[in-house]
Amino acid sequence: MRVESVVAHEVALPLVRPFRTSFSTEHERHVLLLEVTTDEGVGWGECVSSPDPLYSHEFNAAALLVLRDHLVPRVMGKDIEAEDVPGLIKPVRGHPMARGALEMGVLDAHLKNAGQSWGSYFGSNREWVDCGVSVGIPVDDSIDTLVTEVQGYLDAGYRRIKLKIQPGWDLEPTRVIRELIGGMRLQVDANQAYSRDSIDHLCALDEFDLLLIEQPIHEEDYLGHKLLAERMQTPVCLDESVLSRDNAESLIDYGACEIVNIKAGRVGGYIEAKKIHDMALHRGIPVWCGGMEETGLGRAANVAIASLPGFTLPGDTSASSRFYKQDVTEPFVMEDGRLRVPDGPGLGRTPIPDVLTALTVATTPLS
Ligand code: OSB
Ligand code: MG
């Protein structure tokens, strides 16, 4: 196949409620959608970076530059297979979200043309995936607000709750939500907000019978996570620290994590995500599918990959309505706490043209 043009559509999607984590409070999601035109047709990629480099070093303006000046030129106009994209752009260091978006767009074009679904291509063995939901820290710091929000998710049918935590917002909210939800699956995510000095404090979470604690300490502090994992009964799961298959295996071998959050954007795309899945499955390490508040495009790919056999824990694969009143694609609607894996060609989703136009705040040619 041959990539003929790449255009970035920056869309602004208002969130149904603010999303507050230990690193930011977001009211609107600004996301880059890549329209990749090839001789086999058009595909769509989603770049999961944000306007500000707060979750990781990546941010939208940098993603546009690295795509335009370094990544897109390496794939443009050549006779390639979709699977060649990671190798072609490998000499460029870093920027996994940008490279993942490009790979996703090329692969979607190819699979749409070939009539094969994302799930079938990557080796899905299920038609449905369980839905978990990531619950932010209330902007008013109120436990009552948290309880109301979580009750809404319980009523909607979610099968697993994840609470965002940070110093000062950890033991008490977790205790209250554990009481509210009884024996249902519960986990917490600190997005690096603690340090090695907090190990005693974090061990106090053990009494809440959590599935896991996600990225409690700084992403580069592998020893800190290892020391925590040795002390804490709750399994330690890494998100931000996991950047590739080999680095995931190193972290597992070293003892820094017992469970892996697989987020394709963070590791440079779905092909690398699948490699992490295969390694973890082989080693008996549970994995689950993380989320980056994706639109229906990224959500489609996530739901598909979450249906691979190694994804034994519910992911942050929530319904479109968790974040958006209006998604850019046909929405993902939960049925009995699950989402159906798309079975249409490629992602099985495309932006709805009028909606895309209405939500677009900037269009940037990248080729
Ligand atoms: O750490 O998992 C995270 C959202 C943005 C950035 C980082 C994270 C998250 C979430 C939401 O927790 C996941 C989702 O439901 O999309
Ligand atoms: Mg996380």
Side-chain angles (χ1 to χ4, degrees):
M1 66 191 299
R2 200 174 278 265
V3 177
E4 294 169 348
S5 75
V6 181
V7 175
H9 302 261
E10 183 190 343
V11 297
L13 290 90
L15 296 179
V16 294
R17 66 175 63 80
F19 187 56
R20 177 178 170 202
T21 60
S22 63
F23 63 89
S24 78
T25 303
E26 202 176 22
H27 298 268
E28 196 174 48
R29 175 92 181 120
H30 275 252
V31 60
L32 301 172
L33 303 179
L34 299 189
E35 179 180 12
V36 178
T37 303
T38 75
D39 60 346
E40 295 187 8
V42 173
W44 289 88
E46 176 160 348
C47 181
V48 299
S49 56
S50 297
D52 302 311
L54 300 177
Y55 164 77
S56 77
H57 64 276
E58 284 188 279
F59 59 106
N60 290 348
L64 284 174
L65 275 184
V66 78
L67 279 160
R68 187 194 69 187
D69 295 348
H70 300 286
L71 301 176
V72 173
R74 288 177 184 266
V75 303
M76 278 290 294
K78 294 179 182 157
D79 199 9
I80 59 166
E81 304 294 330
E83 293 81 4
D84 297 338
V85 171
L88 287 167
I89 62 183
K90 196 175 170 176
V92 178
R93 305 277 180 190
H95 304 279
M97 296 175 180
R99 65 176 72 230
L102 182 58
E103 174 201 286
M104 179 176 164
V106 176
L107 188 55
D108 181 41
H110 169 65
L111 294 177
K112 279 196 166 103
N113 183 53
Q116 185 176 18
S117 73
W118 206 262
S120 138
Y121 177 80
F122 282 103
S124 161
N125 68 349
R126 274 173 280 165
E127 278 175 48
W128 296 89
V129 298
D130 285 357
C131 295
V133 59
S134 175
V135 187
I137 300 164
V139 285
D140 61 2
D141 296 305
S142 146
I143 295 268
D144 288 347
T145 305
L146 178 75
V147 166
T148 306
E149 185 177 341
V150 171
Q151 186 61 55
Y153 297 135
L154 297 178
D155 296 345
Y158 282 101
R159 295 184 174 207
R160 180 274 269 154
I161 302 290
K162 158 169 143 182
L163 298 181
K164 290 290 190 180
I165 59 166
Q166 65 181 13
W169 184 265
D170 46 25
L171 302 179
E172 197 48 28
T174 306
R175 179 190 314 281
V176 169
I177 297 305
R178 172 48 84 207
E179 275 168 22
L180 177 72
I181 71 178
M184 187 179 161
R185 289 178 281 202
L186 179 64
Q187 64 193 54
V188 294
D189 183 5
N191 291 107
Q192 320 185 49
Y194 297 86
S195 73
R196 290 180 197 182
D197 302 336
S198 314
I199 290 178
D200 283 339
H201 177 72
L202 290 170
C203 285
L205 287 164
D206 277 339
E207 70 170 288
F208 304 120
D209 192 23
L210 303 176
L211 280 178
L212 58 90
I213 179 169
E214 181 181 350
Q215 197 69 49
I217 301 174
H218 190 266
E219 60 188 357
E220 290 169 6
D221 189 1
Y222 306 155
L223 177 59
H225 285 103
K226 178 188 167 83
L227 294 172
L228 179 67
E230 283 167 2
R231 288 273 312 284
M232 209 175 175
Q233 272 162 30
T234 305
V236 173
C237 169
L238 292 176
D239 174 357
E240 287 92 322
S241 297
V242 177
L243 304 172
S244 66
R245 181 221 171 271
D246 290 353
N247 141 280
E249 188 168 46
S250 305
L251 291 166
I252 292 164
D253 262 0
Y254 181 61
C257 76
E258 301 155 278
I259 298 179
V260 177
N261 167 333
I262 296 186
K263 242 180 217 178
R266 200 196 55 229
V267 302
Y270 287 87
I271 294 176
E272 189 72 17
K274 158 83 167 143
K275 289 184 185 168
I276 298 177
H277 162 272
D278 293 352
M279 177 274 295
L281 182 61
H282 180 70
R283 301 185 51 137
I285 297 288
V287 304
W288 57 281
C289 182
M292 292 294 286
E293 305 155 68
E294 282 87 351
T295 73
L297 297 168
R299 201 163 294 278
N302 284 348
V303 169
I305 197 134
S307 71
L308 269 58
F311 285 80
T312 51
L313 294 168
D316 285 341
T317 45
S318 41
S320 297
S321 62
R322 155 69 185 90
F323 291 108
Y324 308 117
K325 207 153 125 185
Q326 171 73 67
D327 205 334
V328 299
T329 65
E330 286 301 318
F332 279 86
V333 179
M334 203 162 58
E335 288 175 52
D336 190 23
R338 302 182 306 173
L339 289 178
R340 186 189 280 281
V341 178
D343 58 4
L347 295 169
R349 289 287 197 285
T350 331
I352 301 164
D354 290 350
V355 175
L356 181 66
T357 306
L359 297 176
T360 297
V361 293
T363 307
T364 314
L366 299 176
S367 58

